[in-house]
Amino acid sequence: MTRKLALAACLALTLTGCGFPGTDPFGYGDGKRIKAAVEQLFGELERADYAAAASHWCAAEPPASPPTADELKAGFAAYPRPWRVKPVTAQHTPGGTGFVNVTLTDGAGAAHPYNVDFTMAGGGVTVCDVDTGTVHIEVDV
C-alpha cells in the first residue's frame, strides 16, 4: 500500500511539472529561466536600450544574422511606454530549443502578440528570434 501511494504521489508530481491545467509553466525550473530571459529582453526594449537587447542574441545561421540595435529600434520604438509583458505559453526541449508566446501591452492599452524563439544550450536561455504573432504546435501522442 505504501509503495502504491508513493508511486501515485510521484506520478502526480511528474504530471504537475509537465504543465497540466492548474500549474504555472513559468513557475519552476526551465520555465523560470525562460520567463526571466523574456522579461530581460522586453525590459531592455522598453528602456530603449536596443544595443543591450541586440548584444545577447544567439548566433544566427547564415545567411541570417542577429538584429542590430537600429533594427530593434525600428520594431519597438513606436509603442507607448510603460509596457506590461506577459509570457503566455511556451514549448521547449530541455537543454534544447523552444519558443514562448508573449503579449506586450503598451502604455495606450493595445495588445501586441509576439513569438520569441530561444535556445537553452549551455544551461542559459538565449533569444534567437522575435516575431509578431504567436505559434501553436499540436502534438498527437
Side-chain angles (χ1 to χ4, degrees):
M1 181 70 159
T2 304
R3 286 194 326 200
K4 285 182 182 179
L5 283 173
L7 180 61
C10 287
L11 179 59
L13 289 173
T14 301
L15 293 177
T16 301
C18 291
F20 281 82
T23 65
D24 177 5
F26 302 104
Y28 61 92
D30 285 348
K32 277 186 171 179
R33 289 186 287 280
I34 293 165
K35 182 178 180 183
V38 167
E39 289 174 344
Q40 177 184 355
L41 171 69
F42 281 92
E44 291 166 348
L45 293 170
E46 180 181 17
R47 291 187 302 278
D49 192 351
Y50 304 111
S55 72
H56 49 77
W57 224 260
C58 79
E61 300 266 336
S65 61
T68 65
D70 288 338
E71 290 169 335
L72 290 173
K73 182 178 181 179
F76 291 94
Y79 295 145
R81 273 62 172 178
W83 297 349
R84 285 189 326 265
V85 176
K86 180 180 180 187
V88 180
T89 59
Q91 290 184 345
H92 73 283
T93 304
T97 61
F99 68 88
V100 60
N101 291 315
V102 176
T103 300
L104 181 158
T105 304
D106 67 29
H112 307 277
Y114 280 92
N115 169 11
V116 179
D117 294 330
F118 60 85
T119 182
M120 298 184 79
V125 178
T126 306
V127 173
C128 296
D129 195 21
V130 176
D131 289 316
T132 57
T134 59
V135 171
H136 179 78
I137 298 174
E138 290 188 29
V139 178
D140 293 329
V141 187

